[in-house]
Amino acid sequence: MNSPLPMWVFCTTSLRFSLVNDAAVKLYGYTREEFLQMTVQEVAPPSKLFTLFGAHKELKGKTGAAGEKVHVKKDGTLLFVLESSKPLPPEKEVTERMVIIQEMSALRKLALPACEAEKPVLDILHKVEEVVFSFNGHMEMTYISPQCFALTGYVSEHFYQGPLLWFNLVHPQDRHLFEEAIQKNKKGRKRFQFEHRIRTASGEEKWVLTKCFATLDQKEELIRLDGSIHDITERKQEEERLKFVELSFENSAEPFLWIRQDGQISRSNKAASTFLGYQEEEFQLLKFYDISPSLDMQVWQSHWQAFEQLKSLSIETMIQAKNGQLHPVEIHWSYFPYKEETYSFTIIREIAERKKSESEKAHLTEKTLKQVEHLQQFANIVSHNLSRPVANLVGLTNLYNRQNLADPNNLVIIDKLERTTHYLDSAIHDLNEILTIRSQTDQLLEVVDLQQGFLEAREWLALQLVSSKASLTADFSKGATVLGVKSYISSIFFNLISNSVKYRSPHRPLEIYISTLQTHQHLCLLVRDNGLGIDLEKQGKKIFGLYRRFHPNIDGKGLGLHMSKTQVESMGGYIDVESTVDVGTVFKVYFQVPVN
């Protein structure tokens, strides 16, 4: 220790000085007692190692090491030295190392300019968001920028004092990434980067992007590793959110489509492909109105204009699958802009079951209303058409002279009783026939030829047609087969033709023209005449009522039209009328048609 060169010995565990010579005391300005209370880091702090010369150059052998370093004297002056060290034999499990210092006076002249030149670099490093670091060839951290505190919760000194701190911060499941990177580095790859997780001082988990550049010597061995660390936690969280949205979109049970303003389909999910039969690539060749027959470009544009105002829009329409099948659907459009374009996030809900339920409900409601109407009619019939003859019977029996059977009035009373009972029997027969028809609404329908029913009715009415000199023509070229009951259809022809004959005009020859017309869901039978006609403004609501008569001077019961209406409705159809007084009448009977 009597060397003229500064020397000291320090404990490799605590880093405290255990011996120091006079030359060191003289050079550094500390007393011997002060030295023995200090650690080597107070003389050669790691934060000073990142200088113009870079991380210190280690020339490490089996027993010794040397390198250029920057030390700090007691008065704060920087001291550029060549530091050589070697291990001492351990005593009582305490390992120590002896260090010899050689002042580099030539470099002293360059030190101040170098440090001044270094200030802008350090200023920049302090201002950037990334954490900048540097390791030596032995993977000992020689520099880390102050931003490390914001990222990890540790200050620079923590990393200098704990050589393994940085590696311990890396998430255990991601440490293999460092091992793989080091192995690639040994194969000559100088630049590499990877994303991984770290755990901060508070236990928080963060995602970071680490970029590294390795400096290798002539033997392709690492002598320095520089890099940066960027906090990408927010980006990774956003990626996770997007991934969740993507998974939700793709795996949703409901069909989803992304549609541009021009109607072009840009995205679809699996449910849409399953529902409509198109693959995603096929969807992207279509516009929305290509799969919605009720829409065209103009209708789509009008929908979009309303959509832009409301930001949300729902409609019910039909969607056509790839195989041509039509599906009733409810479509909900949600408006949003993205990258200077506007899109609709479209949810498609199949409503076939709902429509079926609504149809069944409507049918049941209609049926209930008809039953109520029928009950009201039946009550009226009982009240007016049955109560009157029954009252007559009671009155006549009270007038009958039982004490004097030879009373001439008894013969008159018996005659009236006979006529009243015939009327009552006829009314009961009519009611029974109507009730029978209404009770058989669930009987099976069959394919019936209208022309055959027409011929039967014409034969029954042959005498009336001849005596009235009526012209009767029929044209079934637009359709002749319907679903129905044969006897009902013959009866409908009979009632409507006989009605035309009965209410013919005395001022012109009777012409009856029968034809058919195909509609969307029915075959329409038209029975047209040039008879007296009916004032529908006055009688329109009563025309199909039971026992309704509109020409009192002409014989009739007012039963035929009501019977025809009852028969048509029992077969799932309906009847309508158009009429003008003294011009004529057209009855329109709508029948169900067989499925091809």
Side-chain angles (χ1 to χ4, degrees), residues 46-228:
S47 59
K48 294 295 182 183
L49 297 181
F50 188 79
T51 66
L52 182 66
F53 309 105
H56 57 307
K57 303 171 187 174
E58 299 280 18
L59 299 174
K60 200 164 190 175
K62 292 183 179 180
T63 58
E68 298 172 359
K69 295 188 179 182
V70 180
H71 286 189
V72 181
K73 296 169 67 172
K74 185 177 181 179
D75 61 6
T77 304
L78 296 180
L79 190 64
F80 294 89
V81 300
L82 177 64
E83 183 184 287
S84 304
S85 66
K86 64 179 181 178
L88 298 178
E91 293 185 6
K92 297 180 180 181
E93 299 183 355
V94 175
T95 57
E96 294 182 316
R97 200 170 187 90
M98 183 175 70
V99 179
I100 301 174
I101 302 299
Q102 183 177 354
E103 186 179 8
M104 301 172 67
S105 55
L107 290 176
R108 182 188 297 273
K109 295 178 181 179
L110 298 174
L112 289 176
C115 290
E116 290 299 322
E118 188 179 294
K119 286 182 181 180
V121 177
L122 292 176
D123 287 342
I124 294 172
L125 292 177
H126 287 191
K127 291 176 182 177
V128 297
E129 293 183 2
E130 290 87 351
V131 176
V132 180
F133 63 84
S134 183
F135 289 92
N136 62 22
H138 307 296
M139 293 307 292
E140 298 168 339
M141 185 169 280
T142 57
Y143 176 78
I144 187 166
S145 60
Q147 288 86 339
C148 63
F149 178 73
L151 178 64
T152 68
Y154 294 99
V155 297
S156 301
E157 283 68 20
H158 289 135
F159 290 97
Y160 300 142
Q161 294 171 8
L164 298 178
L165 175 59
W166 172 253
F167 300 101
N168 290 334
L169 292 180
V170 177
H171 194 285
Q173 295 179 2
D174 295 343
R175 289 175 185 167
H176 67 94
L177 298 173
F178 278 90
E179 296 172 2
E180 293 169 1
I182 296 301
Q183 292 301 319
K184 291 177 181 178
N185 170 253
K186 289 181 178 179
K187 296 179 181 179
R189 183 178 174 183
K190 294 183 178 181
R191 294 182 183 274
F192 54 91
Q193 66 179 45
F194 48 89
E195 297 176 357
H196 61 93
R197 292 163 291 174
I198 62 170
R199 287 177 175 166
T200 66
S202 64
E204 181 185 1
E205 187 176 290
K206 291 184 177 180
W207 275 93
V208 296
L209 171 63
T210 297
K211 297 180 180 180
C212 298
F213 177 78
T215 302
L216 309 178
D217 61 13
Q218 294 179 349
K219 297 180 180 180
E220 294 294 315
E221 293 182 357
L222 180 68
I223 60 174
R224 177 172 170 175
L225 184 67
D226 301 312
S228 64

Side-chain angles (χ1 to χ4, degrees), residues 531-549:
L532 294 174
I534 305 168
D535 187 347
L536 294 181
E537 289 187 5
K538 293 181 180 179
Q539 311 294 348
K541 294 182 180 180
K542 304 175 183 178
I543 193 167
F544 293 109
L546 186 59
Y547 299 132
R548 296 292 182 178
R549 299 174 63 237

Side-chain angles (χ1 to χ4, degrees), residues 304-428:
W304 190 272
Q305 288 173 358
F307 177 47
E308 284 185 313
Q309 296 293 325
L310 300 172
K311 307 304 181 187
S312 179
L313 188 65
S314 295
I315 66 167
E316 290 186 4
T317 186
M318 301 293 288
I319 290 286
Q320 188 170 29
K322 186 178 180 180
N323 62 6
Q325 183 178 358
L326 290 173
H327 298 274
V329 295
E330 179 184 74
I331 296 175
H332 182 74
W333 289 314
S334 295
Y335 176 90
F336 69 95
Y338 180 69
K339 290 185 178 179
E340 300 182 355
E341 284 197 64
T342 52
Y343 291 84
S344 163
F345 180 68
T346 305
I347 303 174
I348 301 173
R349 293 191 177 98
E350 188 174 15
I351 56 173
E353 288 298 321
R354 194 187 83 191
K355 284 294 185 183
K356 180 180 178 182
S357 176
E358 289 176 354
S359 176
E360 291 174 350
K361 182 179 178 181
H363 177 70
L364 182 61
T365 301
E366 183 182 2
K367 185 177 180 181
T368 302
L369 290 174
K370 285 182 179 179
Q371 288 177 339
V372 170
E373 182 185 356
H374 294 160
L375 287 172
Q376 289 175 340
Q377 290 176 349
F378 185 77
N380 290 333
I381 292 168
V382 171
S383 175
H384 295 90
N385 297 79
L386 295 184
S387 62
R388 186 173 59 185
V390 169
N392 287 343
L393 288 174
V394 172
L396 289 170
T397 54
N398 288 332
L399 293 173
Y400 187 79
N401 190 347
R402 293 177 178 82
Q403 284 73 28
N404 183 10
L405 298 179
D407 187 343
N409 289 328
N410 283 351
L411 293 175
V412 176
I413 291 170
I414 290 172
D415 180 62
K416 290 185 177 181
L417 282 171
E418 186 177 1
R419 281 186 287 147
T420 301
T421 53
H422 281 306
Y423 177 85
L424 183 61
D425 179 66
S426 176
I428 292 173

